[in-house]
Amino acid sequence: MPLDTIDNAIIPGSLYGISEEPTYSGVLSFMRRKYTKDLREADVAVSGVPLDLMVTHRSGTRFGPAAIRKASAHLAWAPPWPWPFDPFERLAVIDYGDCLFDPGRPETITEAIADHARRIVAADVFMLTLGGDHYVTYPLLKAHAETFGTLSLVHFDAHSDTWEEEEKRVDHGTMFYHALKEGLVDPATSIQIGIRTTNDSTHGVKISQAPEVMHSSAKETAQAIKATVGNTPVYLTFDIDCLDPAYAPGTGTPVPGGLTSLKALEILRNLAGLYYVGMDLVEVCPAYDVSDITALAGATIAAEMLCLLAVHREPVS
Ligand code: MN
Ligand code: MN
């Protein structure tokens, strides 16, 4: 193999197709996609939001995007199993790099993330975001709702993240309360999957708690999700702590009794056909990870999300 055929993340060439290079070396973009700020030819922009200032317990998710990218290189040699297609023959997916914000001026962070999202959404490019703590979803919802109107939230998590408070603070456990209150999200068409922490108010959001999810088939859970959101615009957010700590120890607020990675992946595989407008995978915290299993679970779920976008598209010749 000539030396200049690897590092497809940075060499000129097509945005399409699987990258043939070692799974362990080189410039570790998400799934070996091209690193570029050029949105013109892109269908999907994967970007990181390395924020960990809004957590209530262990911090360190600022290193999540880098860890997920590194783990994803290990997945990039073949099309994601068990889909009968290669998403990268159907979608031009780029790695847009990370969102820039100033941790020394926390009051500016929400708008910095929203502006990052607005740039991508305004270019008519689909966003798949890698967190970062879960607060990042709040500015992402803001930017998406400006274009798509009130959104339906499909939310995988151990926590509802709708804890109510009188004053608006920035926190990764309250942002969906504010998103609901501000009309960014419609509770009637939103659903939370895998919840196993106490919150006295659902705020009208349908909840499928972790035991119910584990005792139901993936198809049944997916059917409940589809029935809830219908054909409304959907924002899909996956907090990696939805998975049991046995499958995802590398996260800030782990809660035992969660989903297996198989269960979560099977539910996702049954969620093709929704009107997705944005997606994210958050709360991977590599400092608490073991053998990169949480980063790998995150990368696998993010790759699965791309397949959900690609399933109804034709290959680009
Ligand atoms: Mn969360
Ligand atoms: Mn959580």
Side-chain angles (χ1 to χ4, degrees):
M1 184 185 286
L3 290 176
D4 60 1
T5 61
I6 68 163
D7 281 338
N8 284 318
I10 53 171
I11 59 176
S14 171
L15 297 180
Y16 293 97
I18 281 182
S19 172
E20 290 178 23
E21 51 190 303
T23 54
Y24 46 84
S25 72
V27 179
L28 297 170
S29 62
F30 180 73
M31 295 292 280
R32 298 289 194 189
R33 308 328 296 169
K34 191 167 300 300
Y35 260 122
T36 177
K37 298 292 183 188
D38 186 352
L39 294 164
R40 285 173 298 178
E41 305 295 324
D43 298 311
V44 181
V46 180
S47 70
V49 182
L51 176 76
D52 58 9
L53 300 173
M54 285 39 168
V55 297
T56 51
H57 189 38
R58 310 187 298 198
S59 65
T61 53
R62 68 179 60 186
F63 301 107
I68 295 166
R69 285 186 175 104
K70 181 173 174 234
S72 78
H74 165 63
L75 304 174
W77 61 276
W81 184 89
W83 296 94
F85 59 82
D86 171 6
F88 303 119
E89 287 179 357
R90 300 177 174 208
L91 291 169
V93 181
I94 62 167
D95 191 323
Y96 190 74
D98 285 348
C99 171
L100 180 65
F101 54 84
D102 184 355
R105 294 195 297 154
E107 74 282 4
T108 65
I109 291 176
T110 303
E111 274 306 291
I113 299 170
D115 281 344
H116 167 81
R118 287 179 187 120
R119 273 195 295 283
I120 298 171
V121 172
D124 198 22
V125 174
F126 191 97
M127 281 190 86
L128 170 55
T129 305
L130 310 174
D133 72 54
H134 212 162
Y135 180 78
V136 306
T137 306
Y138 172 69
L140 294 171
L141 287 172
K142 268 180 96 160
H144 283 79
E146 284 165 12
T147 294
F148 299 102
T150 302
L151 305 165
S152 302
L153 195 65
V154 174
H155 172 200
F156 289 79
D157 206 321
H159 313 87
S160 63
D161 296 348
T162 57
W163 278 280
E164 193 170 340
E165 56 184 20
E166 284 176 20
E167 274 185 64
K168 187 165 178 181
R169 299 167 46 256
V170 284
D171 179 328
H172 74 156
T174 60
M175 70 286 174
F176 291 149
Y177 167 71
H178 295 294
L180 289 161
K181 208 170 153 188
E182 292 165 25
L184 306 177
V185 168
D186 182 356
T189 56
S190 294
I191 183 164
Q192 299 176 317
I193 312 295
I195 305 300
R196 51 191 187 277
T197 43
T198 304
N199 181 349
D200 291 338
S201 177
T202 66
H203 304 284
V205 177
K206 185 175 168 61
I207 292 179
S208 201
Q209 295 185 330
E212 180 190 347
V213 176
M214 288 305 293
H215 295 140
S216 306
S217 73
K219 278 192 177 152
E220 285 168 336
T221 301
Q223 197 47 49
I225 295 169
K226 287 178 171 176
T228 303
V229 304
N231 57 7
T232 59
V234 171
Y235 191 96
L236 172 62
T237 183
F238 199 113
D239 182 329
I240 201 70
D241 71 27
C242 181
L243 302 184
D244 190 89
Y247 300 88
T251 193
T253 40
V255 185
L259 274 58
T260 64
S261 33
L262 176 60
K263 177 68 90 174
L265 290 166
E266 285 195 302
I267 294 168
L268 289 172
R269 285 171 194 148
N270 281 281
L271 287 180
L274 303 185
Y275 173 25
Y276 294 110
V277 299
M279 298 176 173
D280 63 47
L281 182 285
V282 298
E283 295 280 355
V284 170
C285 186
Y288 296 97
D289 208 357
V290 178
S291 300
D292 298 337
I293 58 174
T294 313
L296 183 57
T300 305
I301 289 165
E304 207 69 40
M305 289 173 166
L306 289 178
C307 292
L308 292 177
L309 298 176
V311 68
H312 296 301
R313 299 188 50 135
E314 295 297 320
V316 175
S317 53

